[in-house]
Amino acid sequence: MTRLGVRRAGREVANKPWVDKAARIGLAIRGVVFFVLAYLVGRIASGALGSGGSTNKAVSGSGVAQAVAEQSGGLVMVFLLGLGLACYAAFSLLDAVVNQYDSSETKRWAKRAQSVWRAVVYAVFSAYAFYTALNGQSKSGTSQHVDSKQAHWSARVLNWPAGWLLLGALGVILLAVAAFFTVRAVRRSFREDLDRARMSHRGWQVATVSGIAGYLGRAALYGIAGWFVLHAAIENDPSKSQGVDGSVRRFADNPGGAAVLFAVAAGLVAFGVYMFCEARYRRV
């Protein structure tokens, strides 16, 4: 089948009403994920202030699943979370096929790559949620266990020939993602996905403000992780490379770190709000 044929077939699937509803459910569930992530970051910030409000859940997909699973009726909620994430993964894959209209070929392929990456990440997250729901528990362990595994992985990489360069490249990539999110917030380019004609002036304002704050919050999270990974490569010290979760916890111990993390948590809440705007008004 030619590229045009694939795109036409994808468009036929995308135009089905049930696909539209499933995609919007997936977008909303992604917003819920960011609400839970914000809660976890906020708990870490509270713990840094000595309020006893910290958590051993990782700031990651596994941590989100664990936090949801511990609520009343949590395993059912985790199963529904998995369904929603599967919808979002499928939507991202479909989006890579049918919704890239930029005049520049480079931009089209860049957006396709982003959509495919999101499809892979959320498909894995969905599978993990299903596993947690069906087995009644999570096997990922506590945040300390996750940090230990991350440090062990970093140590192995640093022992490779030019391992410091590879780890440093990962840090640079994380910082580049942070820069990308920052530019997206400043340019407000995320609004290109919204159907402006269907939105009220108030709705457009809410989407704009929440999108800007949300992308800046995500940029800060990636920037913190990227800095610690890059620092570990420069110092040749794997214990300083702890992934997103460990980086957030280490950052919280710095002067003013808790205040910054509260701001990051607020940004993640804002991104969750923006995802609800997308669930309602995104062109699917």
Side-chain angles (χ1 to χ4, degrees), residues 79-138:
F79 186 82
L80 295 176
L81 178 71
L83 285 177
L85 294 173
C87 288
Y88 182 74
F91 161 71
S92 296
L93 194 58
L94 189 62
D95 188 56
V97 176
V98 301
N99 286 336
Q100 310 305 336
Y101 299 115
D102 290 276
S103 58
S104 168
E105 186 74 10
T106 301
K107 287 184 178 180
R108 285 200 297 271
W109 280 106
K111 287 190 175 182
R112 288 190 184 105
Q114 293 172 40
S115 295
V116 170
W117 173 248
R118 286 195 297 267
V120 172
V121 168
Y122 282 91
V124 172
F125 189 1
S126 172
Y128 181 86
F130 285 134
Y131 176 86
T132 301
L134 296 175
N135 286 274
Q137 60 181 344
S138 169

Side-chain angles (χ1 to χ4, degrees), residues 222-241:
Y222 275 91
I224 290 170
W227 163 249
F228 278 103
V229 171
L230 187 60
H231 191 52
I234 294 172
E235 302 243 338
N236 198 30
D237 184 356
S239 67
K240 294 182 179 179
S241 176

Side-chain angles (χ1 to χ4, degrees), residues 171 174-175 220-230 243-245 247-248:
L174 291 170
L175 292 174
L221 199 61
Y222 275 91
I224 290 170
W227 163 249
F228 278 103
V229 171
L230 187 60
V244 174
D245 178 72
S247 298
V248 167

Side-chain angles (χ1 to χ4, degrees), residues 196-207:
R196 178 68 177 91
R198 294 174 52 225
M199 301 177 69
S200 66
H201 178 68
R202 177 69 60 84
W204 184 250
Q205 286 182 319
V206 170

